[in-house]
Amino acid sequence: MSNQPATSSPVPLEAKSPYELRTVLSKNIPDNVIKQSLDTGDIGFLHSFTTGSTVDGPGVRVVVWTAGCQFRCLYCHNPDTWSLSNGMPVPLERAVEQLKKYRTGLQRMSGGLTISGGEPLMQHRFVMKLFTAARAMGIHTTIETNGYYGDRLTDQDLEVIDLVMLGIKTWDPERHRHLTRMDVEPTLAFARRLAAQRRKIWIRFVLVPGLTDDLDDIANIARFAGGLGNVERVEVLPFHQLGSFKWERLGLPYTLTAVQPPTPELTERVCGIFRSEGLTAY
Ligand code: SF4
């Protein structure tokens, strides 16, 4: 069998939104080919490309949604991106060609490329190759990450990333493990490293009533973020139920069915906690 996976697929690379449910697009790819692809970064496993986003970084963005995530956030909107094998195998050249189509428009609209997921750093070599190609085309680069694998990036890699959008889920280590099944410290260590290098970050915080709305916990995140000195803005993202159908369709136990989005008053109060530490928060 060839070492190159078949990449023709009835599923188009572009999706209307990341809320399209996509599964098992790599189910026939042998493990050794997946491993080789991760080692070389010559093939990415992607949920999709979307265009025209105004909420995933500065200006208007093309977003590459990667497959694979080591977190299991209870509120995840895209659990179909947890498994690498749900992603579509996309050779680097094809991803670069796709990006090239948008180059002029992105530059005109002061936008760029955002790589999100899933967790992009599960495929850090592919991500860095795509960012390097984007930079060579004069396209602004942003990564949206939970930061857990930040240590996979060299300082040289960081040079190629214009903006890091870092998700901080909660402060308390126990609560973080309950919420994501993983430790919070690697995320915080990545934030400190970016701060030491004066690299620009936006912090993303998902506000979920009953889960992440402990105001003392939020104050701890705010104090940490305010002390970093490199946080350009904080985005407080109100929880919603748009991805809940995916849990059901994937047969995953979803525990937040009864949870309502936070009130505008609570969201504003949380923004106020971040602002009280000298941060810009929306
Ligand atoms: S880090 Fe993001 S993609 Fe991963 S489980 Fe959490 S919300 Fe979902």
Side-chain angles (χ1 to χ4, degrees):
M1 181 168 193
S2 155
N3 252 7
Q4 291 294 314
T7 52
S8 60
S9 159
V11 179
L13 189 51
E14 277 192 46
K16 289 196 184 70
S17 94
Y19 295 111
E20 266 184 31
L21 181 72
R22 294 188 163 193
T23 57
V24 298
L25 298 175
S26 293
K27 73 171 179 200
N28 296 324
I29 312 268
D31 286 351
N32 67 319
V33 175
I34 291 180
K35 183 178 178 315
Q36 189 187 4
S37 303
L38 292 175
D39 286 348
T40 62
D42 289 340
I43 292 171
F45 297 87
L46 308 183
H47 175 279
S48 58
F49 268 63
T50 57
T51 57
S53 169
T54 53
V55 294
D56 294 291
V60 178
R61 318 291 300 181
V62 165
V63 186
V64 172
W65 304 93
T66 59
C69 186
Q70 73 283 63
F71 281 21
R72 293 289 178 267
C73 299
L74 294 172
Y75 57 67
C76 183
H77 300 144
N78 292 310
D80 52 336
T81 63
W82 287 353
S83 166
L84 202 70
S85 66
N86 280 346
M88 186 186 314
V90 178
L92 179 69
E93 309 84 69
R94 184 177 171 208
V96 172
E97 280 308 310
Q98 186 79 5
L99 188 59
K100 232 180 235 170
K101 291 200 245 168
Y102 305 112
R103 170 171 46 182
T104 311
L106 291 175
Q107 286 163 346
R108 200 177 307 129
M109 293 180 287
S110 306
L113 167 68
T114 297
I115 306 186
S116 183
E119 171 46 52
L121 295 181
M122 299 283 285
Q123 306 184 51
H124 69 291
R125 295 214 163 88
F126 176 83
V127 164
M128 288 318 306
K129 284 187 171 179
L130 189 52
F131 274 155
T132 302
R135 264 293 184 78
M137 287 187 254
I139 294 174
H140 180 277
T141 58
T142 294
I143 188 167
E144 187 184 351
T145 175
N146 62 37
Y148 192 87
Y149 283 149
D151 60 0
R152 288 186 170 185
L153 298 178
T154 64
D155 289 348
Q156 204 178 350
D157 289 335
L158 293 177
E159 297 283 342
V160 187
I161 303 176
D162 293 308
L163 173 67
V164 176
M165 297 174 79
L166 182 68
I168 299 185
K169 316 289 184 181
T170 190
W171 180 261
D172 178 76
E174 273 311 309
R175 188 180 282 131
H176 195 274
R177 264 191 292 277
H178 168 70
L179 177 60
T180 70
R181 291 206 213 152
M182 303 297 279
D183 288 335
V184 68
E185 182 48 36
T187 300
L188 304 181
F190 187 46
R192 288 188 205 101
R193 178 175 166 213
L194 293 168
Q197 297 188 21
R198 315 299 304 159
R199 298 199 179 279
K200 204 190 304 180
I201 68 177
W202 292 6
I203 285 178
R204 297 194 118 186
F205 172 75
V206 181
L207 179 59
V208 191
L211 201 59
T212 66
D213 60 349
D214 180 309
L215 299 183
D216 290 337
D217 194 79
I218 295 167
N220 282 327
I221 299 174
R223 208 166 301 122
F224 172 76
L228 290 172
N230 63 330
V231 177
E232 195 176 72
R233 71 160 77 168
V234 178
E235 295 185 331
V236 177
L237 308 173
F239 167 77
H240 59 68
Q241 294 281 7
L242 287 178
S244 57
F245 81 98
K246 290 188 172 184
W247 289 71
E248 197 181 321
R249 296 270 295 279
L250 294 167
L252 294 167
Y254 185 61
T255 54
L256 306 185
T257 310
V259 176
Q260 298 293 316
T263 61
E265 292 74 26
L266 177 61
T267 306
E268 190 47 36
R269 190 166 173 201
V270 169
C271 286
I273 294 174
F274 285 103
R275 287 183 197 127
S276 71
E277 295 292 338
L279 297 158
T280 300
Y282 301 95

